[in-house]
Amino acid sequence: MLLELNNVGKSFGGITALRDVTFGVAEGEIVGLIGPNGAGKTTIFNMVTGIFEPSNGHISFAGQPLAGIPPHKITARGIARTFQNIRLFGHLSALENVKVGCHTWTRAGFWASLLKTRRQREEERAVEQKASELLAFVGLSDVADLRADTLPYGQQRRLEIARALATQPKLLLLDEPAAGMIESETKELMELVRKIRDNGTTVLLVEHDMGLVMNLCDKVVCINFGVKIAEGTPDEVQNHPDVIEAYLGKEEEAC
Amino acid sequence: MDLFNPYNLQVITFIVLNGILAISIYITLATGQLSLGHAGFMSIGAYVASILTKQADVPLIFALLLGGLIAGVIALLIGAPTLKLHGLYLAIATLGFGEVVRVIFLNMEITNGALGITGLKSIGSTLYDWLKVTGLTGDSFGLSVLQMKAVLTLLFLLLLFGLVLFLTLRLHRSRIGRAFEAIKADETAAKAMGLPVAYYKMLAFIIGAVLAGFCGGLFAHITTTITPDDFNYHKVVEILSFAVIGGSEIVWGPLFGAFILTTLPEVLRVLAEYKMIMYGAIMVLVMAFRPHGLIGTDTFAKLFDRRRKQAARQAEEGM
Ligand SMILES: Nc1ncnc2c1ncn2[C@@H]1O[C@H](COP(=O)(O)OP(=O)(O)O)[C@@H](O)[C@H]1O
Ligand SMILES: [Mg+2]
């Protein structure tokens, strides 16, 4: 397993947000994490990326425990993410946003940057090229020089993916990547996620769009009120009675 | 010629000096840190450099560099506990630091307490001595000794300012500058992109302190006299105002702020007793109409880059 959660729990103050969650993500898979709002999906992402420490249990990545490792080092180990409520560097251009993501595999420090050493210049060229390639990959070449916060919503979501890919992750966490997208954009997004997986990056995604989850994922994990209630193939999870009651049922009521 | 009046030359020299100070506050703000410690670091640089030149006969340039360096070391020490603080908490902590430094200098023997250090050899005199070695004097340029010293000081400051600005712009366009910008925009997202946020905040804090300390040494050797009160909270507010009035999004903002705020009192001098009223009114008006400062990223976009804006609009409409 590339990513393993073992009996992971998290409480905020007295409130238990997650309890005894155990599941794994195998290399090369696209895994869906579903559950109603407030179920604890984003909290799982925050613990995997080191923003929160789990209150119980442990998480390991590529066989190594992640306990006590700060977020930036977890990213350097190969876990990148996007955010449910888009968190781009708004005043930077799309290209600059992706360049920031290249930080983990570049080295130029303070003095090299001041002196503009040959290695620094070569590295900057490599960064420029990599960032342009990634923008092309997510279909944003045309808007490379525009401020990130001026981009329409769907483009911002794809830009966040490009920025995360710039860290050269082994595992990519996508938090509701299709939220706010129109149908054609969601279709493009599914193609994009498949391409990312085919290029060798494992994907764990949180999504409410059931069509997307059922179409795209090799495996689905469903949590409700912080507890895992089902895990299996999309079909198995979709037809699980607890899931229907907890999640799909509610969804229909809401409609 | 009026321009070569030593007084006017000194005003211009102070504009340039405040320009370097503006860069110092800009760099700390570039990582989103509101530090009010710049006057404190400035005083450390000023006292260190002054004691070195006056009591140990250390050559001016080394004394200035050491002043900056020691301010940087102090920044490293106080940064460790304080940089975990955010926003106003950091502002208060660094303001407190500045006060502590001031009171220490007020009570130390080597700094001569409230009377301060006087009779420093000015930058102008030092440079003029060097010039005389080459056989040139003020007469060679048709200037009096006083004028020549003022001109040399100004040229020296311009050279330093140019160098600092050049390096700042270089840094801005590098991996480090991108990291600063990313941290300013969103610390959590920056961490998620693999940036060691604490390290970069410390780096920016130290660069700001080194520059402020360096400016302190320069200030001391322009005025030739320093007292602890030169670096009290008035100075803190003055330095901060560069960024508030000028804007802090891009380096040109604080620079423009330093220019305006140093020039304005001179321009308003004709108003005599109404000077400070006008000064205050202008500040209030700027804040009312440009709350993020006079110069922002949009300023240059508007001036030079209409096409980019058009493209943005088209992209928006296209979706
Ligand atoms: N930083 C936090 N502090 C306190 N409570 C939190 C925090 N983050 C999440 N929670 C709580 O944890 C629960 C799960 O939230 P979240 O993981 O965001 O749900 P989801 O992403 O599945 O919609 C919610 O009840 C939420 O209020
Ligand atoms: Mg969520």
Side-chain angles (χ1 to χ4, degrees):
Chain A
M1 286 284 155
L2 185 62
L3 178 74
E4 279 185 273
L5 283 81
N6 275 309
N7 298 313
V8 171
K10 177 74 193 172
S11 36
F12 296 104
I15 299 152
T16 306
L18 277 178
R19 188 178 305 141
D20 283 339
V21 173
T22 299
F23 72 92
V25 178
E27 202 162 340
E29 277 185 336
I30 300 177
V31 175
L33 185 57
I34 63 170
N37 276 327
K41 305 177 298 293
T42 300
T43 303
I44 290 178
F45 275 19
N46 285 338
M47 286 189 296
V48 171
T49 54
I51 294 177
F52 302 148
E53 284 282 317
S55 315
N56 311 101
H58 28 88
I59 304 174
S60 62
F61 177 67
Q64 303 283 319
L66 292 182
I69 302 176
H72 69 275
K73 289 196 176 149
I74 290 181
T75 308
R77 286 187 178 204
I79 302 180
R81 71 175 292 178
T82 65
F83 293 89
Q84 180 177 345
N85 44 345
I86 301 172
R87 299 184 81 144
L88 287 164
F89 308 123
H91 70 296
L92 299 184
S93 72
L95 187 71
E96 291 289 320
N97 267 274
V98 183
K99 281 183 174 181
V100 172
C102 297
H103 189 275
T104 47
W105 53 271
T106 48
R107 291 280 81 85
F110 174 70
W111 294 108
S113 300
L114 276 194
L115 301 173
K116 255 192 166 176
T117 58
R118 194 153 99 190
R119 269 206 32 209
Q120 191 265 356
R121 280 176 284 146
E122 274 165 16
E123 197 178 272
E124 278 299 300
R125 269 197 294 277
V127 166
E128 177 89 30
Q129 192 182 347
K130 173 85 182 177
S132 305
E133 276 171 23
L134 281 169
L135 280 183
F137 180 70
V138 300
L140 294 178
S141 296
D142 293 347
V143 297
D145 293 329
L146 299 184
R147 268 174 71 124
D149 57 9
T150 64
L151 298 178
Y153 204 69
Q155 294 192 351
Q156 290 197 11
R157 289 231 173 258
R158 275 184 286 154
L159 179 56
E160 261 210 333
I161 295 176
R163 186 181 67 169
L165 288 175
T167 68
Q168 303 189 329
K170 296 192 192 82
L171 173 67
L172 177 63
L173 310 179
L174 301 173
D175 202 345
E176 305 199 12
M181 281 189 173
I182 55 171
E183 211 177 302
S184 63
E185 287 177 312
T186 305
K187 277 221 176 75
E188 279 174 30
L189 176 76
M190 283 165 60
E191 276 318 300
L192 184 64
V193 174
R194 274 204 193 94
K195 269 199 286 179
I196 290 168
R197 191 264 307 269
D198 295 345
N199 288 348
T201 304
T202 306
V203 178
L204 173 62
L205 62 88
V206 166
E207 193 39 72
H208 285 301
D209 184 326
M210 280 306 132
L212 181 147
V213 171
M214 298 304 150
N215 249 305
L216 199 58
C217 297
D218 304 307
K219 180 170 114 173
V220 176
V221 174
C222 180
I223 54 173
N224 189 25
F225 292 117
V227 179
K228 185 177 88 174
I229 55 171
E231 174 176 356
T233 64
D235 268 344
E236 284 165 7
V237 171
Q238 198 169 18
N239 296 317
H240 196 289
D242 290 352
V243 175
I244 293 169
E245 189 191 322
Y247 187 83
L248 300 173
K250 259 195 192 145
E251 190 86 326
E252 274 156 23
E253 265 170 42
C255 294
Chain B
M1 209 161 97
D2 197 32
L3 182 71
F4 284 98
N5 163 339
Y7 178 77
N8 290 346
L9 285 171
Q10 188 165 45
V11 170
I12 301 171
T13 301
F14 271 112
I15 293 174
V16 179
L17 177 69
N18 285 340
I20 306 178
L21 268 178
I23 293 176
S24 145
I25 185 106
Y26 166 76
I27 289 180
T28 331
L29 282 169
T31 52
Q33 300 182 95
L34 179 57
S35 161
L36 301 182
H38 290 255
F41 292 123
M42 201 180 164
S43 73
I44 292 170
Y47 275 99
V48 167
S50 302
I51 292 168
L52 286 174
T53 56
K54 193 166 184 204
Q55 314 209 357
D57 268 334
V58 174
L60 178 66
I61 192 75
F62 291 116
L64 293 173
L65 290 174
L66 268 169
L69 212 65
I70 297 209
V73 171
I74 304 286
L76 180 68
L77 295 179
I78 74 145
T82 52
L83 294 192
K84 291 188 196 90
L85 303 172
H86 284 254
L88 286 176
Y89 299 99
L90 178 64
I92 297 294
T94 47
L95 187 67
F97 157 76
E99 271 304 285
V100 168
V101 171
R102 193 178 66 86
V103 172
I104 289 176
F105 285 153
L106 204 55
N107 288 290
M108 279 200 338
E109 209 151 297
I110 194 166
T111 58
N112 200 24
L115 298 175
I117 299 178
T118 54
L120 293 166
K121 185 168 179 186
S122 72
I123 294 173
S125 301
T126 307
L127 293 175
Y128 195 68
D129 286 351
W130 289 357
L131 190 73
K132 275 196 294 198
V133 174
T134 69
L136 293 169
T137 60
D139 285 343
S140 327
F141 303 92
L143 298 171
S144 73
V145 173
L146 214 58
Q147 284 176 322
M148 197 60 210
K149 284 181 178 175
V151 168
L152 286 171
T153 309
L154 177 57
L155 289 177
F156 183 64
L157 264 286
L158 277 173
L159 186 77
L160 292 174
F161 171 74
L163 187 69
V164 170
L165 180 60
F166 174 74
L167 292 177
T168 303
L169 291 174
R170 256 197 179 177
L171 198 64
H172 182 71
R173 281 191 294 262
S174 74
R175 179 170 178 261
I176 310 288
R178 279 196 297 274
F180 285 0
E181 292 288 333
I183 290 164
K184 179 167 75 177
D186 188 330
E187 277 188 30
T188 303
K191 282 181 192 163
M193 289 304 111
L195 308 194
V197 169
Y199 167 80
Y200 281 118
K201 284 167 89 171
M202 180 65 101
L203 181 64
F205 190 64
I206 292 175
I207 299 172
V210 168
L211 280 178
F214 189 66
C215 285
L218 289 170
F219 172 82
H221 292 85
I222 293 169
T223 59
T224 71
T225 304
I226 48 167
T227 67
D229 263 350
D230 290 333
F231 311 100
N232 62 12
Y233 65 87
H234 285 293
K235 194 76 190 175
V236 173
V237 172
E238 186 192 340
I239 300 173
L240 185 66
S241 307
F242 299 159
V244 173
I245 297 292
S248 60
E249 284 177 0
I250 48 177
V251 70
W252 307 108
L255 283 179
F256 190 61
F259 175 76
I260 293 280
L261 290 177
T262 321
T263 320
L264 207 54
E266 304 302 326
V267 176
L268 295 179
R269 198 173 287 276
V270 292
L271 298 176
E273 64 262 45
Y274 299 109
K275 180 178 124 179
M276 288 323 281
I277 296 178
M278 256 329 265
Y279 188 83
I282 289 173
M283 300 267 271
V284 170
L285 285 176
V286 168
M287 284 299 94
F289 291 104
R290 291 284 297 180
H292 295 290
L294 288 166
I295 305 252
T297 42
D298 56 334
T299 315
F300 292 104
K302 267 182 203 147
L303 283 176
F304 300 120
D305 223 334
R306 292 238 168 83
R307 270 185 28 223
R308 195 174 277 201
K309 281 240 150 168
Q310 245 161 16
R313 217 172 300 126
Q314 276 162 7
E316 244 163 82
E317 283 162 5
M319 288 305 294

